[in-house]
Amino acid sequence: MVLRRLYISKITLYRLCLYARELRRLVAEGEQIVSSEHLARACGVSPAQIRKDLAYFGHFGIKGVGYQVEDLLGELEKILGLSRERHLVLVGVGRLGSALLKHWGANHSLYRFVAAFDSRPERIGRIVNRVMIYPREQMGYIVHQHQVELAVITTPAEAAQEVAEELIQAGIKGILNFAPITLQLPEDIQVENVDLSLFLDMLASQTGR
Amino acid sequence: MVLRRLYISKITLYRLCLYARELRRLVAEGEQIVSSEHLARACGVSPAQIRKDLAYFGHFGIKGVGYQVEDLLGELEKILGLSRERHLVLVGVGRLGSALLKHWGANHSLYRFVAAFDSRPERIGRIVNRVMIYPREQMGYIVHQHQVELAVITTPAEAAQEVAEELIQAGIKGILNFAPITLQLPEDIQVENVDLSLFLDMLASQTGR
DNA sequence: TACTGTGAAATATTTCACAGCA
DNA sequence: TGCTGTGAAATATTTCACAGTA
């Protein structure tokens, strides 16, 4: 079967990843079959939405029965391209950055930090959870050498844009950005923004006055 | 002027918070005036989108000129209800949780952690960045007593649902959820999910194979 | 003269409701 | 019978293009 690269909108992509997460849990629990209704409830979406999302890529279900959990997860991982390991780097080993390095466990098996970078001399050479901290100056070289694809930016806002540009120069294709700033980057570079203050603003706004 | 509570979709809300963030930066830089085009570029959206978003709430701009930075920020903060301080709690003082507590600086002035909770006895009574860690059993009581509105959940996935329900019992209205699980909660409770693995899955999916 | 504000059009996303199959 | 898969309808969101004004 040919797996042509169909267009997936960001919002659909998010849901597909959500389904995959839930399916992994179901596999771990030994479930064999799941209906769109059950999966929908577990993911906080509508059953029709799930069926639409999935049917776009093929016929994965059994009418009158549901979806076979393992099969569907396999299909989703094929669609999403989540089968091989990716190399990551982290830039900015402050409190948040080092917490993320330490926090990284076996549960994130597909993503492996191969290096971290910081500009403060006193941090260089330290090892956090098996990840070595290198000086900022070596970033481009190491990213390039290790064919790193994804980067996590946990620098202050002021440094983030410059860091991002340098990472892209070195071949990075996707960035998880914790800095509270909108990065100005080429269209083909993927960015996910995680600004905790922004999330709190949204919550605060929705919850009172 | 009466500030009626207009409906704001989640995606619009996100952008409004983004605009506010950028406007704060512009204020800090001493900018007086900003056009929809400039603000749009800085936020990564289209100029028409900005004008539509803002015009929904009133006439804040000057034709032929642009928007007055400080005024617009003031209006936005009124619309979003971001003028008063909110009390937060954090549940689950693991690596990520304690990093968030430590990471919390003066830049998040509107949000103040008033307590943290953990179920592991060895952590109880510690103080992280001026925030005391209490036993899980006291969570409901303290949240209720301090009229806490928002909570950050950094527990393992298995504990998150139960914690969330207990928080809601105690009066919490919004949750920032770092646990990799979809919480099943009443509709009137606001939740923002931050699953780092999920973000990486999205990035990986978009960037290769 | 440059902007904003805004209807109308275009596009994207979600839901409905039911045909069809295991 | 109890599901999935799916066109068609409904809804939501974004963009266009230009009138209007400081």
Side-chain angles (χ1 to χ4, degrees):
Chain A
M1 196 260 268
V2 183
L3 193 62
R4 52 220 183 289
R5 202 109 201 72
L6 293 171
Y7 170 77
I8 310 179
S9 71
K10 194 135 169 176
I11 190 151
T12 304
L13 180 63
Y14 178 80
R15 284 195 305 266
L16 292 173
C17 292
L18 212 56
Y19 305 159
R21 184 179 77 177
E22 181 60 25
L23 288 168
R24 279 181 216 113
R25 185 183 327 279
L26 291 172
V27 167
E29 284 177 0
E31 295 291 330
Q32 306 282 311
I33 295 283
V34 67
S35 67
S36 64
E37 192 178 329
H38 180 108
L39 188 57
R41 210 183 342 256
C43 296
V45 305
S46 77
Q49 182 82 83
I50 296 219
R51 296 200 299 274
K52 257 275 147 74
D53 284 343
L54 296 178
Y56 181 56
F57 300 99
H59 296 198
F60 304 135
I62 305 162
K63 298 197 177 183
V65 180
Y67 300 89
Q68 295 212 253
V69 173
E70 283 198 44
D71 291 0
L72 183 55
L73 178 56
E75 293 291 349
L76 267 183
E77 292 188 334
K78 237 191 291 175
I79 291 164
L80 296 171
L82 299 182
S83 33
R84 64 189 179 78
E85 188 185 83
R86 317 269 170 162
H87 289 182
L88 294 182
V89 293
L90 181 139
V91 191
V93 194
R95 281 196 271 260
L96 187 58
S98 55
L100 290 180
L101 287 179
K102 286 181 203 155
H103 180 65
W104 224 245
N107 47 327
H108 307 100
S109 54
L110 275 179
Y111 305 100
R112 210 178 82 232
F113 281 110
V114 297
F117 302 96
D118 205 296
S119 48
R120 287 159 290 191
E122 69 272 21
R123 295 184 181 268
I124 310 302
R126 284 205 215 162
I127 293 174
V128 180
N129 193 17
R130 304 186 196 184
V131 181
M132 170 78 115
I133 305 178
Y134 296 92
R136 254 291 306 270
E137 295 73 39
Q138 293 180 29
M139 189 173 77
Y141 175 75
I142 291 175
V143 164
H144 190 75
Q145 284 302 303
H146 288 66
Q147 307 242 19
V148 180
E149 294 168 273
L150 304 177
V152 178
I153 295 183
T154 43
T155 64
E158 306 76 49
Q161 177 67 35
E162 194 184 305
V163 164
E165 289 171 10
E166 209 176 315
L167 286 166
I168 291 165
Q169 277 289 318
I172 287 278
K173 288 285 178 263
I175 293 174
L176 185 52
N177 175 42
F178 285 82
I181 189 171
T182 302
L183 300 172
Q184 310 292 325
L185 303 175
E187 297 225 318
D188 62 319
I189 304 299
Q190 304 302 323
V191 181
E192 291 299 321
N193 292 292
V194 184
D195 178 348
L196 303 180
S197 290
L198 206 63
F199 287 131
L200 287 176
D201 284 350
M202 289 178 69
L203 286 173
S205 176
Q206 288 171 305
T207 53
R209 228 72 341 117
Chain B
M1 196 261 268
V2 183
L3 193 64
R4 50 216 185 292
R5 202 110 202 72
L6 293 171
Y7 170 76
I8 310 180
S9 72
K10 194 136 171 174
I11 191 151
T12 304
L13 180 63
Y14 177 80
R15 284 195 305 266
L16 293 173
C17 293
L18 212 55
Y19 305 158
R21 184 179 77 177
E22 181 60 25
L23 288 168
R24 279 181 217 113
R25 185 183 325 278
L26 290 172
V27 167
E29 286 177 359
E31 295 291 331
Q32 307 281 312
I33 295 284
V34 68
S35 67
S36 63
E37 192 179 329
H38 180 108
L39 189 57
R41 209 180 346 252
C43 295
V45 305
S46 77
Q49 182 83 82
I50 295 217
R51 297 201 299 275
K52 256 275 148 73
D53 284 344
L54 296 177
Y56 182 56
F57 299 99
H59 296 196
F60 304 135
I62 305 163
K63 297 196 179 185
V65 179
Y67 300 90
Q68 295 211 254
V69 174
E70 282 197 44
D71 291 0
L72 183 55
L73 178 56
E75 294 291 348
L76 267 183
E77 291 188 334
K78 238 191 289 174
I79 291 163
L80 296 171
L82 299 182
S83 34
R84 64 187 178 77
E85 189 184 84
R86 318 270 170 160
H87 288 182
L88 295 181
V89 293
L90 182 141
V91 191
V93 193
R95 281 195 271 259
L96 186 58
S98 55
L100 291 180
L101 286 179
K102 285 182 203 154
H103 182 249
W104 224 244
N107 47 328
H108 308 100
S109 54
L110 276 179
Y111 305 100
R112 210 177 82 233
F113 281 110
V114 297
F117 303 95
D118 205 295
S119 48
R120 287 158 291 192
E122 68 273 21
R123 295 185 181 269
I124 310 302
R126 285 205 213 160
I127 294 174
V128 181
N129 192 17
R130 305 188 197 181
V131 180
M132 171 78 114
I133 304 177
Y134 295 93
R136 254 290 306 270
E137 295 73 39
Q138 291 180 30
M139 188 172 78
Y141 176 75
I142 291 175
V143 165
H144 190 76
Q145 286 301 303
H146 288 67
Q147 308 242 17
V148 180
E149 293 168 90
L150 304 177
V152 178
I153 295 182
T154 43
T155 64
E158 307 75 51
Q161 177 67 33
E162 194 184 307
V163 164
E165 288 171 11
E166 208 176 313
L167 286 166
I168 290 164
Q169 278 288 319
I172 287 278
K173 288 286 179 263
I175 293 174
L176 184 52
N177 175 42
F178 285 82
I181 188 171
T182 302
L183 300 172
Q184 309 292 327
L185 303 175
E187 297 226 318
D188 63 318
I189 304 299
Q190 304 303 321
V191 181
E192 292 298 322
N193 292 292
V194 185
D195 178 347
L196 304 180
S197 289
L198 206 64
F199 287 132
L200 287 176
D201 284 350
M202 289 178 68
L203 286 174
S205 176
Q206 289 171 304
T207 54
R209 226 68 348 111

